[in-house]
Amino acid sequence: MSITIAMYSHDSVGLGHARRNRAIAHALAADLPRLTGEPVGGLLIAGHPDAARDALPAGWDWLVLPGFARTADGYAARRMNLPAAQMSALRGSAVAAAVDAVSPDLFIADRHPFGVGGELTEALDLLRGRPGCRTVLGMRDVLDTPEVAAREWESVGGAERVAEAYDQMWIYGDADVYDPRRTGEIPAALAAKGRTTGYLAHGRPDDEGAPAARPYVLTIVGGGSDGAHIATAAAQAQPPRGHRHLIVAGPQMPPEDVGRLRELTADRPEVELLRSAAHVPALVREASAVVSMAGYNSVAEIMATTTPALLVPRHTRRAEQPRRAAALADVDAVDTLDAAQLSPEALSDWFAHTAGRRTLRDRIDLDGLTRVGDFAAELISVARTSDTGSAHSRTESMEVPTHV
């Protein structure tokens, strides 16, 4: 026998959802064969073409859907001349056809239980009708304020509807640092199915790249679509004596912002602007200090190191990043700077006082990627040995104790 995994991420802005799923795919490819004695392969379904630039384990591949973009009025087609409802129907048909063809043993959706415009509904109905498949909703550590989260759950039909569609919820964080069940971001109907994995930090895939000459300080802004303000301040900051300053703009930073950064750094040989870098985890690990936004994946890469970090959380659209940054600052894992206080002088001062020091983060559970294989193996084993009863009876054995 063999094991097939299917994973979904909608990816309208940035690549955070796809990058989380990719990290999990690498972990499952490494651990499930050892745990089950069976070969493992899978399909990662994503909504942004840049996702497919990242390599996958042998036996895995990408399925990139026609893209959505986030606008002031909601979701809209990124390139196609179709209304949002038709885009969701197109994408939903593609996802349903894909999961029907590969017949996965395990399906993992990142963050959005029914996708954009309910595009996962057909696929989930198909999978829930197959006794041999288990479904997991993966959630980052922080969602938003409890009030906003409650409205979002209601907008997809309520927590009870989500609980009927998924066997488990994996929460990619450390409950001792931040627990969205205790804050009210995850309702009781879903909290009962929640398992905390620990942060997906240690063991993230680290693509090879040319090593950077040390010493250097580093600024990263995720995909870059909304990180120009940080990169601009960084481009004008003074690195510590004897250090270079690497700034990774991100593949999704608008060209006009990249052009502005090139102008700011043109006469500064100590500052190197990179459009993108495949080996960001290694760059973070070897840096003397790092400035970053507070998105989940950037933070996870930082937490896996002892590199001192200054998080400048994004305040637009969601309260997610400020809440994550504050929680990690409370356990002395990072420093934080409000975006309103961001300036070249503030970054220069922080670099001068911090570069070269080390930050110990060993009190935080960072081993989520070593744990998801066990969770997956357990689900698949239960699916294969349980009776082919109703979808309702399937979920009862899935309510397991939370890992802390």
Side-chain angles (χ1 to χ4, degrees):
M1 296 181 70
S2 63
I3 294 172
T4 301
I5 313 292
M7 306 176 75
Y8 163 90
S9 56
H10 80 294
D11 305 301
S12 62
V13 178
L15 297 173
H17 303 273
R19 289 178 65 200
R20 264 196 300 274
N21 277 354
R22 179 194 178 227
I24 293 169
H26 276 272
L28 295 179
D31 289 343
L32 275 180
R34 171 180 56 83
L35 294 167
T36 66
E38 300 177 29
V40 176
L43 184 68
L44 267 67
I45 303 166
H48 199 290
D50 285 344
R53 295 168 57 180
D54 293 330
L56 294 174
W60 296 68
D61 209 343
W62 291 101
L63 171 63
V64 179
L65 303 173
F68 270 118
R70 187 81 175 181
T71 72
D73 298 321
Y75 290 105
R78 179 178 287 116
R79 294 178 179 173
M80 297 186 72
N81 187 25
L82 288 177
Q86 282 185 251
M87 280 290 293
S88 291
L90 170 61
R91 287 162 51 112
S93 295
V95 175
V99 299
D100 187 36
V102 303
S103 190
D105 299 283
L106 181 65
F107 178 80
I108 303 172
D110 189 274
R111 174 70 175 88
H112 294 270
F114 301 108
V116 180
E119 65 190 11
L120 280 187
T121 303
E122 182 181 353
L124 285 169
D125 287 345
L126 186 155
L127 294 174
R128 297 296 286 176
R130 296 181 177 178
C133 180
R134 289 294 184 259
T135 54
V136 171
L137 179 61
M139 304 297 289
R140 60 182 182 238
D141 55 338
V142 184
L143 306 184
D144 207 309
T145 65
E147 296 77 16
V148 170
R151 291 197 295 270
E152 291 187 344
W153 291 119
E154 287 305 312
S155 73
V156 297
E160 291 77 11
R161 182 189 176 213
V162 179
E164 289 175 358
Y166 287 92
D167 294 300
Q168 279 188 8
M169 172 186 286
W170 294 351
I171 303 169
Y172 305 136
D174 180 344
D176 289 337
V177 175
Y178 192 97
D179 191 340
R181 296 164 297 185
R182 294 194 190 113
T183 64
E185 293 161 66
I186 295 178
L190 283 170
K193 293 192 173 187
R195 305 185 75 174
T196 53
T197 63
Y199 287 97
L200 307 178
H202 289 150
R204 293 179 74 87
D206 189 356
D207 295 323
E208 294 183 1
R214 293 177 288 176
Y216 62 88
V217 293
L218 176 69
T219 295
I220 55 176
V221 291
S225 60
D226 54 0
H229 61 300
I230 299 175
T232 298
Q236 301 171 81
Q238 184 64 43
R241 183 182 298 274
H243 285 69
R244 295 182 306 124
H245 188 176
L246 304 185
I247 302 173
V248 183
Q252 296 175 342
M253 183 172 286
E256 59 271 20
D257 291 329
V258 176
R260 171 64 175 158
L261 292 175
R262 294 197 188 284
E263 292 176 3
L264 290 172
T265 58
D267 297 324
R268 303 193 65 196
E270 74 278 17
V271 181
E272 182 179 353
L273 178 66
L274 304 176
R275 191 68 173 88
S276 63
H279 54 300
V280 169
L283 288 178
V284 173
R285 185 173 59 248
E286 299 299 327
S288 295
V290 59
V291 172
S292 174
M293 298 178 76
Y296 182 90
N297 290 288
S298 296
V299 165
E301 289 166 352
I302 290 167
M303 291 297 103
T305 75
T306 59
T307 304
L310 176 67
L311 301 185
V312 186
R314 177 180 62 207
H315 284 261
T316 57
R317 297 206 317 267
R318 291 189 172 277
E320 169 212 347
Q321 290 200 12
R323 292 169 77 89
R324 177 178 298 115
L328 291 168
D330 284 345
V331 294
D332 299 322
V334 298
D335 295 326
T336 63
L337 179 68
D338 189 277
Q341 299 174 316
L342 176 66
S343 69
E345 294 75 22
L347 297 187
S348 299
D349 183 66
W350 184 80
F351 281 138
H353 288 87
T354 310
R357 299 181 182 179
R358 296 290 93 183
T359 300
L360 297 180
R361 302 180 174 108
D362 49 4
R363 292 183 298 168
I364 302 173
D365 186 349
L366 304 172
D367 292 324
L369 289 172
T370 67
R371 202 165 285 122
V372 292
D374 292 317
F375 288 5
E378 176 187 317
L379 278 170
I380 293 167
S381 175
V382 170
R384 289 179 172 179
T385 58
S386 63
D387 294 334
T388 57
S390 68
H392 174 74
S393 66
R394 290 172 53 198
T395 64
E396 293 178 348
S397 64
M398 292 298 100
E399 297 182 9
V400 296
T402 297
H403 172 83
V404 176

